[in-house]
Amino acid sequence: MLEAATHVLRTEQGTATMQSIARKAALSQATAYRHFPSVEALVVAYHEDVVSSLVEHGERSRKTGKALFEHQAARWVKLQNVHGPVIVRFWSQQGFLERLHDSDATTALSCQAWDRALRGVLIELALPDALLSMARFLHDALFDPREIIDLTKTAGLPDEQVVRRLSDAFYGALAGWAFSGV
């Protein structure tokens, strides 16, 4: 059903319904609703599936520090080329720290995907682990799928440049926040 949702949500971005997704999945609408109560719930599951693939990608890597961070960032940018338009359709109206505080499942999964890399960056930049929550926040702000899509599609930057520019901006912002006492 998630595969069918991928197709329908990408081709019918503003008009996709559970009926059109069920039809694409060759399921009855009632069966589709038994699995997901709404298109929004299906998109959440879809987003979690995408982030889970990023978790696995990071866990398989032997890289550390900035190399691991940039390895994850490159995978995240590639994922946005395929899945970003679907993910941003139902992007949360809550800020990252609020979602984290509320124990949002997708946000917790995102932390699982990124924390090892973020901690490695903190170590390489000789910054305290106490800055992890701010590193999470800055990462979420800079690597927002909407902004990645904007850089790749609107600005026409190749994925490698997007990774390099966002990573460098992240390192600079993190160091700046650390030295300003935040």
Side-chain angles (χ1 to χ4, degrees), residues 54 57 66-81 114 139 142-143 147-149 151-152 157-171:
L54 186 66
H57 182 260
K66 288 181 179 179
L68 175 60
F69 180 82
E70 291 169 19
H71 181 69
Q72 285 293 84
R75 178 70 176 163
W76 183 242
V77 169
K78 284 193 185 323
L79 288 169
Q80 297 322 302
N81 290 331
W114 288 100
H139 167 266
L142 285 167
F143 286 85
E147 309 313 335
I148 291 170
I149 292 167
L151 290 170
T152 57
L157 295 177
D159 290 358
E160 299 78 25
Q161 274 192 18
V162 171
V163 171
R164 175 80 279 126
R165 290 177 183 197
L166 290 178
S167 295
D168 288 346
F170 172 73
Y171 304 146

Side-chain angles (χ1 to χ4, degrees), residues 10 35 42 52 88 119 152:
R10 289 187 80 212
H35 291 285
L42 192 139
S52 290
V88 300
R119 282 191 164 100
T152 57

Side-chain angles (χ1 to χ4, degrees), residues 113-163:
W114 288 100
D115 278 1
R116 186 167 72 98
L118 293 174
R119 282 191 164 100
V121 168
L122 290 171
I123 290 167
E124 278 195 36
L125 295 176
L127 298 173
D129 195 62
L131 286 175
L132 180 61
S133 64
M134 286 302 109
R136 288 170 170 167
F137 171 82
L138 288 170
H139 167 266
D140 186 73
L142 285 167
F143 286 85
D144 182 313
R146 295 170 293 195
E147 309 313 335
I148 291 170
I149 292 167
D150 206 22
L151 290 170
T152 57
K153 304 288 187 245
T154 307
L157 295 177
D159 290 358
E160 299 78 25
Q161 274 192 18
V162 171
V163 171

Side-chain angles (χ1 to χ4, degrees), residues 19-37:
Q19 182 178 10
S20 62
I21 293 167
R23 188 172 34 253
K24 180 69 177 173
L27 299 171
S28 72
Q29 194 170 343
T31 301
Y33 274 111
R34 269 188 240 118
H35 291 285
F36 301 99

Side-chain angles (χ1 to χ4, degrees), residues 36-56:
F36 301 99
S38 66
V39 172
E40 291 82 2
L42 192 139
V43 171
V44 167
Y46 177 93
H47 188 180
E48 288 176 355
D49 189 56
V50 170
V51 177
S52 290
S53 76
L54 186 66
V55 170
E56 292 169 12

